[in-house]
Amino acid sequence: MKYYDKLIFELSKKGRTAYSLPKVTLPCRMEKELDESLARTEPLELPEVSEVDVVRHYTALSQMNFGVDTGFYPLGSCTMKYNPKINEEIAAMQSFAALHPLQPKETTEGAERVIAELDAALAAITGMRHFTFKPCAGAHGELTGLMIIREYHLSRGDMKRTKIIVPDSAHGTNPASAAACGLEIVEAKSNADGLVDVEDLRPLLDDTIAGIMMTNPNTLGLFEKDICRIATLVHEAGGLLYYDGANMNPLLGKVRPGDMGFDVMHLNLHKTFSTPHGGGGPGSGPVGVCEKLVPFLGVNTSGYHGNFGVMLRAYAYILMLGRENVKLAGPLAVLNANYIKESLKHKYKLPITSVCKHEFVFDGLINDGAKEGVAGATTLDVAKRLLDYGFHAPTIYFPLLFHQALMIEPTETESKETLDDFIAVMEQIADEAAQDANILHEAPHATPISRPDETTAARNPILHY
Amino acid sequence: MSKIIEGLLYSESHEWVKVEGDIAVVGVSDYAQAEMGEITYVDLPQVDDEFAAGEEFGALESVKASSDLYSPVSGVVTEVNTALEDAPELVNEDSYANWLIKVRMTNPSETEELMNADSYKTHINE
Amino acid sequence: MNKFPYFPHTDEDLRLMLARVGVESLDDLYSDVPDDFLYKGEYDLKPAMSEQEVRAYFEGLADRNSHLTCFVGQGAYDHYTPSVVPYITQRSEFLTAYTPYQCEISQGTLRYIFEYQSMVCRLTGMDVSNASMYDGPTAAAEAMRMAIACARKKDTVLLSSTLLPQVIDVVKTYAKYYGARIVMISAEDGQTSRDALSALLESDDTIAGVILPSINRYGIIEDHSSFADAVHAKKAILIEYCDLSTLAVLKTPAEWGADVAVGDGQSLGIPLCYGGPYVGFMACRKDYLRKLPGRIVGQTLDKDGKRVFVLTLQAREQHIRREKATSNICSNESLMALWVTVYLSLMGSEGMKEVNELSYDGAHYLYDELLKTGKFEKVFDRPFLKEFVLKPLIDVQSLQTKLYNAGFFAALQTEEGYVTFCVTEKRTVDEMNRLISIIKED
């Protein structure tokens, strides 16, 4: 990767053009007719550049970026699997891309078929009854799913249920989505094994509880084995179970959330179903529900039919997988995670040793190299040093249960050789730390930029050119 | 060792109070600022906002964390330290000289619930 | 092992890896899962297809869509996409990247977001912009929550009844569960009524914000002179809902005195794609920066003094502040923000002006010609840009069927019983004349 300093505005030169529009054939009326009081007075300053400038500029920017096609992302709870290229071609097909969202259904039969078939496929994979595709990302799915839970209670005239239980190990979006949905958060504690403590949960369950949000496996990569008892308890108390699908990948082809007693769930098509992350979206967060909640699926949380382009990609992936290969997706992801865990536990602290699912958490280095006058290497240091060796960093400092958390999730699309390379680098970093932690404090060294001054960025925000 | 000043009153959530007649001057303790690390923003209320004792009145932010501020007493905000808007680092430099808000107390007896310097020292060492 | 292109494991790999983990089979990795939950049936999915078969399958589905020439807007506009835009956005370094948390290997993403924020600021006249929202309606819903967060202790937001129906719908949905009160401002002659707004502001002390459309559901360019003063007098904030493309020529939200600008950026060359992905935008005056939801990129220096870009002000966000965050949003529409950034870089201010002029001229030509057919009547006598409504004097149902059969999507019926049309620079005079001649028939 090569450092490139320009912003597009800095390439601007008066008189350059990068657009071409059809010749004017009708009389020009706007300037004459549009009343001054409605027109913009502040001149609009956009870059004036040539087409070549634009192409080279953005190509140069792209060369400072790491993506799945560049290398391996061991990023916990993010499921950065390979993004198949056929998906992109399908999504770009003109007969889908040119459809207006308000066209009558009789003119969009193909698109409607895609939605219906994707709905059926996701229902088969998850054990839910039907999905809504309105949500545009995972957190949006959570919000929509919680609205469905609230609507269900309200429809029964049960107005008291305004609290939701969220485990302390939950993704940060869970409490944030609950708050946006007007729900009060009640935290459930994890026990020493990192699982939801059923005994701690029991007293929380009264007639003000709308439900519980869980992810299973949880953010420590552990399967919540008591899920059956939890489901019974929550249901007996009149609440519903919400499944956060961010951690669905290890269950793909193996376990269905619907069978575990979950009533509502979301999926991240940009995680489990191979659609590209796009540097932070567009994603798609369809919400599935059990039979009795189907009447509430209509809750309207976005403009049209959701991110249809993302749905096309996910369905192409499902067709490629088919009923044969789907059964291997989850198990291979789990194998990869356990393989890394077992290979590195002699260099990194492993607080929970049992078999993990798609991800697991190290709590920093066993030997962080701390000595007189030299601070030990932290999780942040390890993460930054990994960048030097051509790997993306794992998720760090999450979950909050461990102070030096390094959360690692490989996916099923990574080969043994890639994992072996990663393991070797992680071992080397541990050795470097033990010898001279300063190498890690200074990392990264080989990237286009070094560590930024984030404090100044936040104290004196410069947010536009 | 964090600095604790004699003569101030302290809350469990690490705010300090200096009573000047019916006005309470409120800041955060040196311990609290040290825990936060480099403070990047101090979120403060507006003059005339009213808070009950224990109610949230603002927050301290650093790059990777945020910590809520709780009013040690009930009352109406009479003054806000606007210098902190552009220079949040002042709280790191001296969290006692750089107060956050002044409150006209509606129930001054609430200050009896707060800790003195000695009790606060015990509190943060627990 | 099945042979499958996305699974690299050979039989030998499996053997070695299972041995390292200390289990005999893949099934053993699920020994912690109660047996009842292990799905033993056959998944009700189609048998695996080859890539060639997948392509053919989608081509078959695609053939069942009618390709119609689009004369409808209503929040989704058929503008032309220069070929450079998809070419750049399909670069895998952008497409397959994660959220730019590791800034040292994400300067590409961070820089384009910074450019995007700068362009949104220039179009809206606002001081700061976030890195994008899902779409226009959800951006409006977030603005509703932001207004309430800014006001403290007030819970009402006024919505103009001239906003697009889907915007009203989504804001109301969010408000219902969040616990906000929504009151509608009535319209007068096709635009938000200033008198109705004043009356509401006078009679209600719980108003935290007001959402008005810059161009409304009838295509009318609203006149918001003195609206901001009235709103600010009650210490509420003014939110303008805009079509980003039109701000190149229309009075900006800042010029109307608004505090927050939201809307959709789809009109900046993003394909219709049956409703998404699009890109919502959200910008505000700097006083409200700390209440702005979503990711924000800022400029700073690295240790060597180079200018670099980072995600900043993250203490507002869900991964730090959890239930007290300004919003739950994390993934947004980053790649679509790149889409509009590349589009705006290509078009420049001249290009943007021409796009609007061509749309304006086309729409006004069609408007005049449709009235001449005698099959429609004027509804409003108000300025519009690329979209307008007419009152049909003929049976709409049969007109529409006739239009679909001839390959046109036009004259969509609105809730009020009007029909709506839209013309962009993509529509040729020839297409308009064909549309008119079909309407003239019988």
Side-chain angles (χ1 to χ4, degrees), chain A residues 19-34, chain C residues 70-71 78-80 245-246 248-249 343 347 349-367 384-388 422-432:
Chain A
Y19 72 92
S20 65
L21 285 164
K23 283 209 174 49
V24 176
T25 47
L26 292 167
C28 295
R29 300 166 56 173
M30 192 178 87
E31 202 127 5
K32 271 181 282 169
E33 294 178 4
L34 184 63
Chain C
C70 184
F71 278 98
D78 189 23
H79 287 283
Y80 179 74
S245 170
T246 62
V249 294
Y343 176 88
M347 301 306 290
S349 54
E350 280 302 306
M352 287 310 300
K353 188 163 167 251
E354 276 182 47
V355 161
N356 279 290
E357 281 172 342
L358 288 167
S359 304
Y360 183 101
D361 296 340
H364 286 75
Y365 171 76
L366 184 66
Y367 182 82
F384 62 91
L385 205 161
K386 61 187 169 190
E387 197 171 8
F388 58 86
C422 178
V423 182
T424 66
E425 82 287 1
K426 229 172 130 175
R427 295 288 76 85
T428 64
V429 176
D430 183 48
E431 285 169 341
M432 286 190 271

Side-chain angles (χ1 to χ4, degrees), chain A residues 129-436:
Chain A
R129 189 73 185 90
H130 277 300
F131 279 79
T132 168
F133 292 92
K134 285 250 169 188
C136 299
H140 201 203
E142 290 175 13
L143 179 59
T144 306
L146 291 171
M147 286 173 176
I148 289 171
I149 289 177
R150 290 205 67 189
E151 198 54 48
Y152 163 76
H153 291 308
L154 292 174
S155 76
R156 296 178 306 123
D158 190 346
M159 323 302 267
K160 291 190 302 293
R161 296 188 182 269
T162 54
K163 293 185 193 157
I164 188 104
I165 300 173
V166 180
D168 54 8
S169 60
H171 296 118
T173 48
N174 289 185
S177 300
C181 195
L183 289 161
E184 194 185 317
I185 289 97
V186 180
E187 200 173 83
K189 298 265 176 298
S190 303
N191 62 23
D193 299 328
L195 301 174
V196 170
D197 191 327
V198 181
E199 291 317 310
D200 185 70
L201 190 61
R202 204 187 292 271
L204 305 178
L205 293 165
D206 59 26
D207 61 359
T208 63
I209 296 295
I212 181 169
M213 295 183 89
M214 286 182 70
T215 183
N216 193 14
N218 65 22
T219 57
L220 298 170
L222 303 174
F223 192 85
E224 300 273 5
K225 338 182 211 289
D226 290 328
I227 185 61
C228 192
R229 275 170 70 206
I230 295 171
T232 308
L233 284 173
V234 173
H235 284 148
E236 276 173 5
L240 297 177
L241 273 83
Y242 184 91
Y243 181 83
D244 170 354
N247 292 0
M248 176 69 198
N249 205 44
L251 305 191
L252 187 55
K254 203 71 193 173
V255 181
R256 308 192 315 166
D259 298 340
M260 292 190 278
F262 285 98
D263 304 290
V264 188
M265 70 175 294
H266 80 265
L267 288 166
N268 297 68
L269 298 187
H270 50 293
K271 293 181 180 177
T272 319
F273 294 92
S274 88
T275 74
H277 204 286
S284 172
V287 169
V289 297
C290 63
E291 184 76 46
K292 75 171 171 192
L293 297 179
V294 170
F296 309 104
L297 267 183
V299 50
N300 188 9
T301 51
S302 70
Y304 303 104
H305 316 295
N307 281 343
F308 182 71
V310 181
M311 291 149 64
L312 280 170
R313 290 171 172 92
Y315 192 47
Y317 172 71
I318 290 172
L319 290 177
M320 285 289 290
L321 270 183
R323 67 165 76 113
E324 305 90 332
N325 299 306
V326 72
K327 289 182 179 168
L328 278 167
L332 290 175
V334 172
L335 175 66
N336 281 359
N338 279 284
Y339 181 73
I340 297 178
K341 175 169 74 82
E342 291 304 315
S343 305
L344 284 173
K345 65 182 183 187
H346 62 296
K347 300 275 186 190
Y348 292 83
K349 287 183 205 156
L350 183 63
I352 293 173
T353 53
S354 53
V355 66
C356 68
K357 293 276 102 41
H358 62 306
E359 67 191 5
F360 63 92
V361 178
F362 282 134
D363 192 11
L365 287 154
I366 290 176
N367 179 359
D368 65 5
K371 41 177 108 75
E372 190 72 40
V374 182
T378 62
T379 276
L380 179 69
D381 296 331
V382 172
K384 294 300 179 196
R385 187 65 176 142
L386 264 172
L387 308 182
D388 279 337
Y389 290 105
F391 290 101
H392 195 277
T395 298
I396 54 174
Y397 300 113
F398 186 83
L400 308 170
L401 303 175
F402 301 106
H403 290 300
Q404 291 293 326
L406 271 161
M407 189 197 212
I408 296 177
E409 175 184 4
T411 73
E412 72 281 4
T413 61
E414 299 305 329
S415 69
K416 179 171 176 296
E417 284 70 17
T418 302
L419 303 184
D420 285 339
D421 287 349
F422 174 71
I423 290 162
V425 162
M426 285 290 280
E427 284 176 330
Q428 185 171 341
I429 292 173
D431 294 343
E432 286 173 356
Q435 278 164 24
D436 179 6

Side-chain angles (χ1 to χ4, degrees), chain C residues 113-387:
Chain C
I113 295 174
F114 187 80
E115 292 177 350
Y116 162 85
Q117 290 174 181
S118 306
M119 291 179 186
V120 169
C121 287
R122 287 173 182 213
L123 279 163
T124 58
M126 291 287 148
D127 302 321
V128 290
S129 157
N130 70 12
S132 80
M133 307 301 282
Y134 307 131
D135 66 0
T138 59
E142 292 278 1
M144 174 275 295
R145 284 184 57 204
M146 186 175 163
I148 289 171
C150 289
R152 300 181 184 197
K153 294 175 185 168
K154 292 186 189 173
D155 69 347
T156 303
V157 171
L158 305 182
L159 291 192
S160 169
S161 49
T162 62
L163 285 157
L164 287 165
Q166 65 267 33
V167 175
I168 294 174
D169 233 40
V170 172
V171 174
K172 280 186 170 171
T173 304
Y174 272 60
K176 174 177 177 185
Y177 303 100
Y178 182 57
R181 191 167 146 254
I182 299 294
V183 177
M184 302 304 296
I185 314 165
S186 58
E188 196 183 329
D189 192 20
Q191 97 139 37
T192 314
S193 162
R194 174 73 169 77
D195 291 344
L197 173 65
S198 296
L200 286 168
L201 287 167
E202 278 316 307
S203 65
D204 191 337
D205 282 330
T206 65
I207 296 166
V210 177
I211 310 184
L212 305 176
S214 132
I215 287 203
N216 69 26
R217 67 199 299 173
Y218 312 118
I220 291 167
I221 307 164
E222 295 213 351
D223 182 349
H224 292 160
S225 310
S226 85
F227 278 56
D229 295 340
V231 173
H232 291 150
K234 295 295 280 190
K235 290 202 168 150
I237 65 170
L238 176 60
I239 299 154
E240 287 264 338
Y241 187 92
C242 322
D243 166 356
L244 205 44
S245 170
T246 62
L247 293 184
V249 294
L250 297 183
K251 207 159 187 166
T252 65
E255 288 171 332
W256 287 125
D259 305 288
V260 179
V262 292
D264 216 304
Q266 182 277 336
S267 50
L268 298 172
I270 295 180
L272 294 167
C273 200
Y274 209 41
Y278 296 167
V279 59
F281 70 91
M282 190 158 185
C284 65
R285 293 191 190 277
K286 62 175 180 301
D287 310 0
Y288 300 104
L289 169 60
R290 303 282 165 165
K291 302 286 182 207
L292 187 64
R295 292 179 182 144
I296 299 175
V297 170
Q299 178 182 315
T300 187
L301 299 175
D302 75 356
K303 280 197 309 197
D304 307 321
K306 284 186 199 142
R307 175 174 64 172
V308 301
F309 298 87
V310 294
L311 288 171
T312 191
L313 308 177
Q314 294 186 61
R316 302 164 298 109
E317 290 185 68
Q318 50 76 31
H319 60 285
I320 293 178
R321 201 165 271 183
R322 297 174 78 90
E323 69 266 28
K324 286 180 181 155
T326 47
S327 166
N328 65 333
I329 192 167
C330 36
S331 280
N332 40 79
E333 304 291 307
S334 195
L335 198 74
M336 306 322 285
L338 172 62
W339 189 290
V340 305
T341 305
V342 177
Y343 176 88
L344 287 167
S345 300
L346 291 165
M347 301 306 290
S349 54
E350 280 302 306
M352 287 310 300
K353 188 163 167 251
E354 276 182 47
V355 161
N356 279 290
E357 281 172 342
L358 288 167
S359 304
Y360 183 101
D361 296 340
H364 286 75
Y365 171 76
L366 184 66
Y367 182 82
D368 293 345
E369 295 301 313
L370 286 173
L371 282 176
K372 281 186 208 158
T373 63
K375 310 214 171 193
F376 305 96
E377 240 173 33
K378 257 187 202 180
V379 185
F380 305 114
D381 205 1
R382 291 256 182 198
F384 62 91
L385 205 161
K386 61 187 169 190
E387 197 171 8

